Amino acid sequence: MPVVEFSALPESARVWVFGAAAPVTGAAAQSLVSAVDSHLVDWRAHGAPLVCARAWRDDRFLVIGADEAATGATGCSIDGLFHVLRDVESLIGATLVGGGTVYWRGASGAVVSGARPAFREAAAAGTVAADTVVFDTTVATVGAYRAGFEKAAADSWHGKLLPVAR
């Protein structure tokens, strides 16, 4: 079977991180995970099974990894994954596919999300700072995900959205 534990993927495996703007919990989370798991069991590129895994974390982030050293994901196989996620969005009441959302940990430790202007406003108001933990959904490999998906804003591209110290 091509589906493995996420921890078994090599550092070089390709990764896609999908974030939900609002928490996805309970039955909605179960529907999401079930639909994704069903797809991954049969995920193929030109007929060859993809060695892949998924992780669901913080009620917000779906992380899909594929070991392209075993079988490379193709445009069609990636499109198939995105199609499944778009279909699931209506079931769970949250958008997963699309960009522009920034994610960070609020003062309570919960994940907060908003568009870039909302993040900038939070920074201007002082509720977001250089040491605020942010989530980098642009990571491209499992190694980058493990090393820096969650880090201080100053150590991420998010730092460019912070006000310049005078």
Side-chain angles (χ1 to χ4, degrees), residues 118-137:
F119 185 82
R120 282 189 185 110
E121 289 169 14
T127 57
V128 168
D131 63 347
T132 298
V133 173
V134 296
F135 299 89
D136 185 359
T137 59

Side-chain angles (χ1 to χ4, degrees), residues 31-66:
S31 294
L32 168 64
V33 169
S34 177
V36 169
D37 287 351
S38 292
H39 179 74
L40 294 182
V41 166
D42 293 320
W43 201 19
R44 298 183 179 284
H46 297 296
L50 289 167
V51 175
C52 58
R54 65 108 182 122
W56 174 245
R57 57 172 288 176
D58 296 298
D59 296 330
R60 295 284 190 116
F61 302 108
L62 175 65
V63 186
I64 305 286

